Amino acid sequence: MNKNITETIKYIGVDDLDLDLFESQYIIPNGISYNSYLIIDEKVAVMDTVDARKYDEWHTNLLAALDGRTPDYLVVQHMEPDHAGGMAAIMEEFPAMKIVASARAVQMMPQFFEECDFEGRTIAVKEGDTLSLGAHNLQFAMAPMVHWPEVMVTYDATDKVIFSADAFGKFGALSHEEDWACEARRYYFNICGKYGVPVQSLMKKLAALDVAIICPLHGPILSENLEYYIGLYDTWSRYDVESEGIFIAYASIHGGTAAVAHKLAEILREKGVKRVSVADLSRDDMAEAVEDAFRVGTLVVAAASYDSDVFPPMRDFLHHLQMKSYQRRRVGIIENGSWAPTAGRIMRGMLEQMKDIEIVEPMVTIRSRMKRSDLPALESLAEALLA
Ligand code: FEO
């Protein structure tokens, strides 16, 4: 794809529709885009490269957009290989081109590209530094931990464009039209979720700029209704609740715990909760379960006991939440055990290590299969979740 963002900024990124797992862990049923841009002015700047997997396609786009010009600068906002993968080859092709990046990124470059000689090729920039291309005057703002420490974003006041690195990115190739929020939320919480505080710092910097177009490193270029996207990013990075509702995540071995989880969902719906969602942690997408947990204010975890611990898919889920700084939520617990239930104690312990988690009592214990005698306890838990 090669299209104009503005008269002088061109999109030269590529879609990746045949990658099995993004970052070797996230399913991407609709692919992903590696965005890259070219600014044509008295000087020419390439804004990031792409994953080496798609280098050839990107290179074709670059040459077409250059239309015979030569790039003076390659601005590297993020060293992760899905964006910096094309650096070495393009440096070799254009030996006069300088690399503009944060000092931390410059430090990282030889770690990824032993074969490159960076001597005299790099310009390390810091907060507020500018680079004039002619009519365009690029201004750099550091965005450490959004989502690596070397990240910076770039503002072009001429066209009111912010090149936002991974911020405002989403899963899904540009060739695939879909709702923005769903895959942007799954991307955000799984990739940047731990870094709410640094994202908030970046949001404050963005608030001081006059931005008309957001050019992220993944997903669509945003040029309308920016308050909507910025508002969601603000909510997410504050760890605020985005939607009403209750999310029930279960890890069930033989279906007994699954039946309890679905029964609780039924009770909650009968009590008027409009949005109750249920996930099977053994089979559903873990990244989506993480996203769903952050989206609402109330979570219920239901799991079988296993090896004097908790059934591993639940341990994995809670570990994911812990890593992503899950916080400020209410959580109900349901455990199952046929002889010595241990799941509840383990889940409670893991939840108690997270920040500002309120355990909603009573914890419900099921023995093997839900029985009529278990219903009052489930009713009590449902009432407490609604309180
Ligand atoms: Fe899209 Fe953090 O790389």
Side-chain angles (χ1 to χ4, degrees):
M1 191 189 296
N2 191 350
K3 64 170 189 169
N4 290 348
I5 309 293
T6 68
E7 269 184 29
T8 46
I9 302 178
K10 292 171 192 284
Y11 181 82
I12 55 168
V14 293
D15 278 350
D16 192 343
L17 290 159
D18 46 27
L19 178 66
D20 58 346
L21 292 171
F22 182 69
E23 287 189 0
S24 298
Q25 57 175 327
Y26 303 114
I27 59 164
I28 41 170
N30 300 323
I32 191 147
S33 69
Y34 310 121
N35 296 348
S36 167
Y37 307 90
L38 188 71
I39 308 176
I40 311 264
D41 203 331
E42 287 166 28
K43 301 278 187 187
V44 174
V46 181
M47 303 301 291
D48 295 292
T49 69
V50 297
D51 194 291
R53 292 166 45 79
K54 296 291 171 185
Y55 180 83
D56 290 347
E57 198 181 323
W58 173 77
H59 185 250
T60 302
N61 290 350
L62 171 67
L63 292 190
L66 281 170
D67 195 22
R69 301 277 306 267
T70 300
D72 298 280
Y73 303 106
L74 168 64
V75 177
V76 174
Q77 301 186 113
H78 187 11
M79 278 303 294
E80 195 161 12
D82 52 331
H83 308 295
M87 268 184 73
I90 206 70
M91 280 176 69
E92 194 178 337
E93 182 171 352
F94 297 108
M97 182 186 73
K98 293 272 200 266
I99 316 293
V100 181
S102 68
R104 193 77 190 263
V106 170
Q107 205 177 42
M108 272 185 187
M109 287 171 192
Q111 293 174 202
F112 286 97
F113 303 105
E114 188 192 15
E115 71 277 22
C116 285
D117 181 6
F118 290 98
E119 192 61 40
R121 297 289 305 266
T122 58
I123 301 172
V125 290
K126 55 185 187 316
E127 182 74 25
D129 280 359
T130 57
L131 176 72
S132 176
L133 303 178
H136 295 264
N137 194 33
L138 302 183
Q139 184 180 330
F140 304 105
M142 301 299 117
M145 302 323 296
V146 187
H147 99 271
W148 275 17
E150 85 298 357
V151 171
M152 65 178 193
V153 299
T154 307
Y155 180 61
D156 166 31
T158 308
D159 287 350
K160 300 181 182 172
V161 172
I162 184 83
F163 297 92
S164 62
D166 274 341
F168 299 97
K170 73 180 270 297
F171 297 123
L174 296 192
S175 57
H176 192 96
E177 281 206 19
E178 62 186 358
D179 172 62
W180 184 84
C182 184
E183 284 294 71
R185 189 188 298 104
R186 188 168 70 97
Y187 179 94
Y188 175 81
F189 282 112
N190 287 279
I191 289 171
C192 302
K194 181 179 170 65
Y195 306 113
V197 174
V199 174
Q200 272 292 303
S201 303
L202 177 60
M203 298 299 290
K204 288 191 179 73
K205 291 180 189 182
L206 294 189
L209 301 172
D210 182 8
V211 174
I213 303 174
I214 300 175
C215 289
L217 285 177
H218 301 286
I221 287 90
L222 307 172
S223 57
E224 288 171 3
N225 204 11
L226 295 191
E227 318 77 54
Y228 168 73
Y229 305 105
I230 291 170
L232 279 178
Y233 248 68
D234 194 42
T235 300
W236 298 340
S237 53
R238 287 176 191 276
Y239 301 97
D240 281 350
V241 173
E242 180 188 344
S243 307
E244 282 185 22
I246 296 179
F247 175 49
I248 303 172
Y250 70 82
S252 182
I253 306 169
H254 297 293
T257 306
V260 187
H262 285 291
K263 182 66 186 173
L264 179 67
E266 186 188 311
I267 295 171
L268 288 166
R269 287 185 191 113
E270 280 168 10
K271 288 183 183 298
V273 182
K274 288 198 176 61
R275 193 177 177 279
V276 182
S277 49
V278 181
D280 173 357
L281 296 175
S282 298
R283 293 174 180 81
D284 293 338
D285 175 30
M286 181 62 75
E288 185 147 350
V290 168
E291 168 200 348
D292 287 345
F294 277 100
R295 183 174 187 170
V296 297
T298 305
L299 166 71
V300 177
V301 286
S305 302
Y306 191 90
D307 287 347
S308 303
D309 200 290
V310 62
F311 188 41
M314 177 59 76
R315 181 173 267 287
D316 191 24
F317 174 60
L318 291 174
H319 182 58
H320 272 82
L321 292 187
Q322 210 169 18
M323 288 183 79
K324 304 301 173 189
S325 289
Y326 187 70
Q327 56 183 270
R328 294 172 51 215
R329 296 294 191 273
R330 304 176 76 231
V331 185
I333 301 175
I334 300 172
E335 66 170 353
N336 195 353
S338 291
W339 61 96
T342 49
R345 176 174 53 80
I346 300 292
M347 288 189 284
R348 184 186 291 272
M350 292 182 79
L351 287 160
E352 281 173 353
Q353 286 174 33
M354 301 178 207
K355 190 177 160 196
D356 296 336
I357 297 295
E358 177 197 338
I359 305 289
V360 179
E361 307 290 355
M363 179 176 89
V364 175
T365 299
I366 302 294
R367 292 287 187 159
S368 308
R369 288 286 188 264
M370 180 176 59
K371 294 167 276 298
R372 264 195 299 279
S373 58
D374 293 318
L375 295 180
L378 277 182
E379 278 283 340
S380 301
L381 176 59
E383 284 296 333
L385 291 167
L386 296 178

